[in-house]
Amino acid sequence: MNTQRSFVLAFDTANEVIAIGLGKLDAATQSIECVASVEVEARRASNTQLLPRIDELCAQAGVGRGEIACVAVGRGPGSFTGVRIALACAKGISSALEVGLVGVSSLDAVAWGAWKASERGSLLVVADAMRREVYPVEYRLSDAGTERVTADRVIKADAFAEELGATSASDRLIAGDALRKYADLFEGAGALLPEALWTPTGAGLLMALRAAWRAGECDPLDAERHDPAFALPVYTRLSDAEENERQRLARADGALAGKRGSKHVTMNDTAIANARANGEGIAYKPLDACHVADVAALEAAVMGTDAWNETLVADELGRADRVWWAAYAADPKMPLSAEAPLVGYAGGWVVDGDLQILKVGVDPAWRRHGIARVLLARVADDARNLGARTSSLEVRAANAGAQALYAALGYEVLGRRPRYYSDGEDALIMQGPLPTITLAAVPNGAVADARPGYVSGPGATEVAPYGESDVIATNHPLILAIESSCDETAAAVIDGGEALRSDVVATQVDFHARFGGVVPEIASRKHIEAICGVCDEALDVAAASLGRSSLRWRDLDAVAVTYAPGLVGALVVGVAFAKGAAWGADIPFIVVNHLEGHLYANKIGRPDFAPPAVVSLVSGGNTMLVYMADWGDYRVLGTTIDDAVGEAFDKVAKALGLGYPGGPVVSKFAAEGDPDAIPFPRAMLHSGDLRFSLSGLKTAVVTYINNERAAGRELNVPDICASFTAAVVDVQVAKARAALRETGAPTFCLGGGVAANPTLRAAYEQMCAEEGVRLVMPPLASCGDNAGMIAEVALDRYRAGAFSPLSTDALAHGDLEVPY
């Protein structure tokens, strides 16, 4: 077999069809010969069928993994989840194979498919965007190829049909999977192509890649240019939460203040004020109408005669194609106050796939804090989700500082507009890529000591010098584990000596805080952005711990991932990436139950811990008591019948206007308050079983808050937090005591994010001392969602040979008692 890398693997799952193509690359002619192509109806099962189909096609074509020089993937637009499945899988494959990843338009692939079928003329591709919307793009098909006429966008199907009625074309051809729903709307606007041409094909993907190659937009053979970390989906719209937020902020109704001063408040009233400042005391939020006057005032101070007035700024808000962000000076320890001074702003207009930067201004007293850079990145992040691919702006010819900033962000000067500004100064026209926001992958607790040439732990052996074909001389197996069940993207590497060689996490909390809780769609989007960087960091940290210069996917013995339970869209990203990496590296794939991971977290820092034990698993989504008879042998003794403990903390924090996440801030105030000040109910304390209920307690706290405000009394926040916490802890401890007595377990341990609560930990310490049982608690860094705990489970599953097929899917629910 030819081992030279000369093939491209292309695939797309943006709709109900899986399209896969294999092409032979010819660098001299920049051509791609289609070697094999297949299209399969997936019907919402792309994540289970994609890799088995890829494996089958490669086998049939006789193309081995080592011959693949590039991965090409359909970036959409299409089904959000479908696009992310393909992109996450592609990122995993290209990362493991160490080849470039090139994204191509799914709609371009449809157009090229029509071209290959000898269709010529004006082509309209209308893809289904759900919510009675479509993604329409127009093309011109000639003998020379396809030419895109319009940019990606999303529009209501009815509205677009009306638009077409005003611009009828006799030679228009129409394709796209939206015809399955809306054929009657478009029949009069042109000739409908055969249904076989409505969706992407493997051959169409390869031709779209070839066209981009010849246009200089990509180079399939340049892996460095096409880092998989930078490949992102095409969405064309914000998430529902962000769209609703924009509409709310466009109204001057005091929303930013969160109505904290009103006599009656609901938990959601204060959610909008949940943004927090960073370490430098700067909070970033989409601009709201209440601060339009502040923007105009700062405009006048920094823009002179070119400043926009209040009317012009206000007119920008609420528009679907506009994005505006603001920066405020604020206390990092508290939610954003309505009185926080505005110190910066930026706005942009998305038109024809380009983000045109309209304004960037920073208070002179707050310059050199990186505010303009962050604002531009925030604006660009939203613009990218609205379909922008590039960015452009005008800058004063004499403003060397601004030009230097833009140059550092990748902008280049395209030309000059003479006398553009009101004072007659010229403007330089600059264009560049969209500035990006990178989620920082940071260490999550300690890892094994790094001693050059050696690894620590029983049976450790000397590490051989790194080379192209080394085998790691250390305790096997070496496993990389991924966690993406909620809003943390995490990865860890563990070795056969049970030493965590790395454990890193990238948190999204800043993107969810202003909504008062995790937004599933935003979480999924951020996972796809962060997962490559997080895994790369985990490999780099593990390499340092092993005393090596680098660590590669091919050096691993397996890839593991959380597959259930959690937010299914978030889980899908981790599962698809991990499967792609396992296939690319040709190593086993292991799935882990997230809840079992929290049980295993007790091994981190306490390797002597072993069942039997009773575990209190308390987090934002779970509250349960579990009896561990042995590793893998669990019995759920009792669970919550409504809210989870972490959820209750978050909701109380919302009601008090303390921001998100609620656990840490409620704990902070509780430490200063009287736990006996307010007699909140202890729900199900005397129920006679081991079930929990938090909904009634949460309602009681909110009712108390509203009654105090109605009476005109100032809230004693520390006492409320302390009394609420005491009510939670009393029930948790009482039930745990009963579980220990019922099972006779000699050990009690914790799991989940709420396990970091200092009051709860102290209460468990006292209870265990009274009961004469051993208390084991995870390190604080291992209480929340992390990949270290997933790696611990994966190691045992590897040793048991509990590998999973590449048809495995993510699951929103997972029963801890059922073996998997």
Side-chain angles (χ1 to χ4, degrees):
M1 179 180 292
N2 179 14
T3 59
Q4 182 181 0
R5 293 193 173 195
S6 57
F7 288 89
V8 58
L9 169 65
F11 51 89
D12 182 284
T13 61
N15 52 48
E16 294 295 321
V17 173
I18 296 174
I20 309 170
L22 274 171
K24 184 72 178 291
L25 298 165
D26 186 330
T29 60
Q30 292 186 323
S31 62
I32 304 175
E33 175 193 354
C34 182
V35 174
S37 177
V38 66
E39 293 76 45
V40 183
E41 284 283 345
R43 303 193 181 280
R44 298 185 181 274
S46 297
N47 205 22
T48 62
Q49 293 193 44
L50 178 58
L51 270 167
R53 295 287 185 176
I54 288 174
D55 202 45
E56 181 182 4
L57 189 66
C58 287
Q60 290 174 352
V63 175
R65 295 169 179 80
E67 296 179 89
I68 295 174
C70 174
V71 178
V73 64
R75 299 173 56 228
S79 158
F80 292 169
T81 299
V83 171
R84 284 193 289 264
I85 287 171
L87 197 53
C89 183
K91 283 174 178 268
I93 293 174
S94 60
S95 295
L97 292 178
E98 299 177 2
V99 300
L101 174 60
V102 180
V104 298
S105 166
S106 301
L107 304 189
D108 287 1
V110 175
W112 277 105
W115 183 90
K116 187 174 186 295
S118 300
E119 301 292 347
R120 299 294 184 267
S122 176
L123 172 68
L124 169 65
V125 178
V126 280
D128 184 14
M130 309 300 289
R131 305 196 307 188
R132 294 198 59 80
E133 294 178 332
V134 294
Y135 301 116
V137 176
E138 295 181 39
Y139 297 86
R140 193 74 197 168
L141 309 187
S142 67
D143 289 342
T146 76
E147 178 186 358
R148 179 185 274 249
V149 178
T150 59
D152 293 316
R153 62 169 172 154
V154 64
I155 185 173
K156 290 293 183 183
D158 291 340
F160 184 64
E162 291 182 14
E163 185 179 302
L164 283 181
T167 59
S168 59
S170 58
D171 67 338
R172 179 185 287 130
L173 308 171
I174 306 178
D177 68 326
L179 294 178
R180 293 174 177 171
K181 291 182 179 179
Y182 309 116
D184 57 323
L185 290 177
F186 302 119
E187 281 177 336
L192 306 190
L193 293 181
E195 190 170 351
L197 301 179
W198 289 1
T199 55
T201 63
L205 289 165
L206 295 174
M207 286 187 286
L209 176 65
R210 182 190 62 188
W213 192 5
R214 291 178 173 175
E217 297 171 0
C218 71
D219 183 349
L221 297 171
D222 188 344
E224 185 175 350
R225 177 179 175 182
H226 299 293
D227 187 329
F230 301 127
L232 296 174
V234 174
Y235 292 117
T236 75
R237 66 180 174 216
L238 304 176
S239 67
D240 289 346
E242 290 167 310
E243 288 182 349
N244 293 335
E245 177 191 45
R246 294 300 194 277
Q247 295 172 10
R248 188 169 61 245
L249 293 179
R251 300 191 299 268
D253 60 359
L256 184 64
K259 303 180 181 178
R260 287 196 196 90
S262 68
K263 292 184 178 181
H264 181 81
V265 63
T266 68
M267 286 175 291
N268 289 327
D269 285 333
T270 61
I272 197 170
N274 285 323
R276 289 182 180 273
N278 60 20
E280 293 190 323
I282 304 166
Y284 296 92
K285 279 183 65 70
L287 179 64
D288 66 285
C290 294
H291 288 79
V292 165
D294 295 330
V295 170
L298 187 50
E299 267 276 287
V302 300
M303 299 295 179
T305 56
D306 293 293
W308 285 13
N309 58 32
E310 288 186 41
T311 301
L312 288 173
V313 177
D315 189 54
E316 291 286 302
L317 302 186
R319 293 195 178 195
D321 56 356
R322 301 297 205 276
V323 179
W324 283 79
W325 276 78
Y328 304 89
D331 181 355
K333 299 178 182 178
M334 293 297 295
L336 184 61
S337 165
E339 292 73 38
L342 180 133
V343 297
Y345 58 90
W349 176 24
V350 179
V351 55
D352 293 332
D354 184 67
L355 166 64
Q356 297 182 8
I357 302 296
L358 300 174
K359 289 288 181 179
V360 183
V362 177
D363 187 327
W366 281 87
R367 289 175 182 169
R368 301 190 181 281
H369 285 76
I371 293 175
R373 186 183 294 264
V374 174
L375 286 170
L376 285 169
R378 293 281 186 158
V379 169
D381 193 48
D382 286 347
R384 184 180 292 106
N385 289 336
L386 291 173
R389 302 182 305 278
T390 60
S391 178
S392 59
L393 54 85
E394 290 90 16
V395 59
R396 285 180 176 269
N399 192 342
Q403 292 170 36
L405 168 64
Y406 301 139
L409 294 174
Y411 288 82
E412 297 179 349
V413 176
L414 295 183
R416 179 184 291 261
R417 286 184 175 156
R419 304 183 63 80
Y420 178 77
Y421 294 99
S422 60
D423 58 2
E425 184 175 351
D426 291 355
L428 297 182
I429 305 168
M430 302 186 75
Q431 187 177 57
L434 293 169
T436 58
I437 298 174
T438 302
L439 295 180
V442 299
N444 187 58
V447 299
D449 293 336
R451 290 184 291 160
Y454 293 87
V455 295
S456 58
T461 57
E462 189 169 353
V463 177
Y466 187 76
E468 277 295 313
S469 60
D470 302 353
V471 175
I472 295 176
T474 186
N475 292 319
H476 283 280
L478 197 65
I479 302 170
L480 184 142
I482 296 168
E483 156 63 26
S484 69
S485 64
C486 192
D487 62 337
E488 314 282 13
T489 313
V493 174
I494 194 169
D495 70 15
E498 300 193 17
L500 277 176
R501 294 298 171 181
S502 63
D503 189 7
V504 300
V505 62
T507 181
Q508 308 171 7
V509 67
D510 188 43
F511 292 91
H512 300 279
R514 69 183 196 267
F515 300 103
V518 176
V519 179
E521 173 59 22
I522 294 177
S524 300
R525 295 186 182 196
K526 293 304 171 186
H527 283 308
I528 201 74
E529 294 174 16
I531 196 161
C532 281
V534 169
C535 289
D536 287 347
E537 180 69 9
L539 289 170
D540 288 346
V541 173
S545 175
L546 290 165
R548 299 171 64 102
S549 61
S550 63
L551 187 64
R552 302 159 80 173
W553 288 92
R554 70 181 69 176
D555 297 324
L556 301 173
D557 294 293
V559 179
V561 69
T562 300
Y563 85 108
L567 301 176
V568 70
L571 289 165
V572 158
V573 174
V575 169
F577 179 91
K579 290 195 300 184
W583 183 85
D586 197 15
I587 54 179
F589 171 64
I590 300 170
V591 298
V592 173
N593 183 303
H594 177 78
L595 300 181
E596 187 173 22
H598 279 302
L599 304 184
Y600 269 73
N602 289 277
K603 294 183 69 174
I604 300 176
R606 299 293 291 271
D608 61 329
F609 165 67
V614 168
V615 186
S616 173
L617 210 167
V618 282
S619 66
N622 299 279
T623 298
M624 62 177 66
L625 283 167
V626 179
Y627 176 63
M628 301 174 62
D630 199 353
W631 296 117
D633 184 359
Y634 314 120
R635 177 163 57 94
V636 177
L637 303 174
T639 186
T640 180
I641 63 174
D642 40 57
D643 292 351
V645 171
E647 184 180 2
F649 271 91
D650 286 341
K651 289 180 177 178
V652 168
K654 276 188 186 182
L656 289 169
L658 298 180
Y660 174 87
V665 69
V666 169
S667 295
K668 173 182 174 293
F669 279 102
E672 304 168 2
D674 179 3
D676 299 317
I678 307 163
F680 289 133
R682 271 66 172 163
M684 300 189 74
L685 180 63
H686 304 293
S687 63
D689 57 31
L690 298 177
R691 295 179 301 158
F692 302 89
S693 173
L694 280 301
S695 180
L697 171 60
K698 173 256 299 179
T699 300
V701 175
V702 174
T703 300
Y704 175 85
I705 291 169
N706 288 334
N707 289 342
E708 289 296 289
R709 285 186 169 129
R713 290 188 289 268
E714 184 176 352
L715 295 178
N716 188 322
V717 175
D719 281 357
I720 294 172
C721 289
S723 298
F724 161 72
T725 300
V728 170
V729 169
D730 285 353
V731 176
Q732 292 295 316
V733 171
K735 301 278 184 173
R737 190 190 303 270
L740 285 167
R741 292 176 177 177
E742 177 183 308
T743 62
T747 304
F748 179 77
C749 50
L750 306 179
V754 184
N757 183 283
T759 304
L760 186 63
R761 290 171 82 97
Y764 280 139
E765 287 180 356
Q766 181 178 339
M767 184 270 291
C768 287
E770 293 169 353
E771 294 296 315
V773 300
R774 182 190 185 197
L775 173 63
V776 175
M777 295 186 288
L780 293 178
S782 302
C783 291
D785 294 345
N786 66 91
M789 65 186 191
I790 305 304
E792 294 280 0
V793 181
L795 183 58
D796 276 2
R797 291 182 66 77
Y798 181 94
R799 288 167 172 163
F803 304 139
S804 296
L806 296 181
S807 59
T808 303
D809 203 357
L811 300 175
H813 305 286
D815 191 335
L816 190 57
E817 294 181 329
V818 178
Y820 59 100

